[in-house]
């Protein structure tokens, strides 16, 4: 596979000031000289965790979806089991924990198949997505702030929901489309 060309950073930072910080994110306001040479501003949201997604697929190509109300969106969302893992924690370790917490599932087989930048115009948040198979059911232990529903749908049903715009979560959409391109159905 051919590499893509890479250019040097054309942005110059004049100053930066932290304007918000909590256990999950940090927001910095920058004064910059933009690529065209003009003065400007830029706000950056730094994520203190990596986003984790898990496609939990059983032996019949059934996927587990998690439903929950998403505060920033002000609406309900169906998505893969997802969560965050500290940047200094192995992504696989975080994925195993999130899958167990949200669904009670444990997987024997794990395959990392997708990494992506989630909103690279304003954040540095990265996501890692795994395919988990060889599933067995244990007891779920969601975080106290989570009120979750779990459903199981065939891969083709989930793909159809993505294509119909009924599932819009970025990690879920990207993972399902990539798996489809890899030959899953």
């Amino acid at each position: 596979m051919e590499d893509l060309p890479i250019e040097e950073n054309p942005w110059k930072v004049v100053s930066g000031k932290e304007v918000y910080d909590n256990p999950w994110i940090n927001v910095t306001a920058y004064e910059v000289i933009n690529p065209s040479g003009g003065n400007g501003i830029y706000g950056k949201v730094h994520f203190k965790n990596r986003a984790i997604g898990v496609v939990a697929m059983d032996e019949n190509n059934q996927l587990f979806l998690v439903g929950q109300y998403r505060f920033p969106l002000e609406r309900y969302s169906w998505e893969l089991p997802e969560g965050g893992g500290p940047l200094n924690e192995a992504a696989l370790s975080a994925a195993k924990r999130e899958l167990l917490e949200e669904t009670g599932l444990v997987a024997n087989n794990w395959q990392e198949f997708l990494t992506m930048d989630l909103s690279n115009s304003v954040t540095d948040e990265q996501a890692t997505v795994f395919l988990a198979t060889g599933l067995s059911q244990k007891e779920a232990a969601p975080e106290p702030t989570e009120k979750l529903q779990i459903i199981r749908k065939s891969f083709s049903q989930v793909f159809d929901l993505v294509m119909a715009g009924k599932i819009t979560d970025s990690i879920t959409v990207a993972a399902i489309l990539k798996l489809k391109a890899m030959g899953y159905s």
Side-chain angles (χ1 to χ4, degrees), residues 92-164:
L92 179 56
S93 174
K96 289 178 177 182
R97 183 184 62 253
E98 285 298 329
L99 182 62
L100 180 62
E101 280 179 10
E102 293 193 354
T103 66
L105 294 169
V106 175
N108 288 329
N109 309 306
W110 291 87
Q111 176 189 353
E112 181 180 325
F113 72 96
L114 178 63
T115 57
M116 56 191 260
D117 298 317
L118 293 180
S119 182
N120 62 7
S121 65
V122 294
T123 81
D124 63 0
E125 187 178 25
Q126 294 187 316
T128 304
V129 186
F130 293 87
L131 175 62
T133 58
L135 304 175
S136 58
Q137 188 69 56
K138 306 291 183 194
E139 190 170 331
E143 294 177 12
T145 60
E146 296 177 318
K147 183 178 178 188
L148 308 175
Q149 284 189 72
I150 310 298
I151 60 171
R152 193 184 319 196
K153 297 267 186 203
S154 71
F155 182 89
S156 62
Q157 288 173 312
V158 175
F159 177 78
D160 289 346
L161 290 166
V162 165
M163 295 307 292

Side-chain angles (χ1 to χ4, degrees), residues 12 22-23 37-38 42 56 62 70 72 74-75 77 79-80 92-93 110 113 115 141 153 162 166 178 181:
K12 306 292 183 231
N22 71 28
Y42 215 107
Q62 298 275 310
R70 289 294 191 176
E74 298 182 0
R75 63 181 158 83
S77 176
E79 53 206 48
L80 296 173
L92 179 56
S93 174
W110 291 87
F113 72 96
T115 57
K153 297 267 186 203
V162 165
K166 295 186 183 289
K178 179 150 187 193

Side-chain angles (χ1 to χ4, degrees), residues 15-31 41-48 121-124:
S15 67
K17 179 181 178 189
E18 180 182 291
V19 295
Y20 180 76
D21 187 68
N22 71 28
W24 304 277
I25 63 169
N26 173 279
V27 180
T28 304
Y30 292 97
E31 302 260 343
I41 60 170
Y42 215 107
K44 176 183 170 183
V45 179
H46 166 69
F47 279 77
K48 298 178 182 180
S121 65
V122 294
T123 81
D124 63 0

Side-chain angles (χ1 to χ4, degrees), residues 165-181:
K166 295 186 183 289
I167 293 178
T168 59
D169 170 70
S170 63
I171 292 174
T172 304
V173 170
I176 296 304
L177 293 178
K178 179 150 187 193
L179 286 173
K180 183 72 167 178

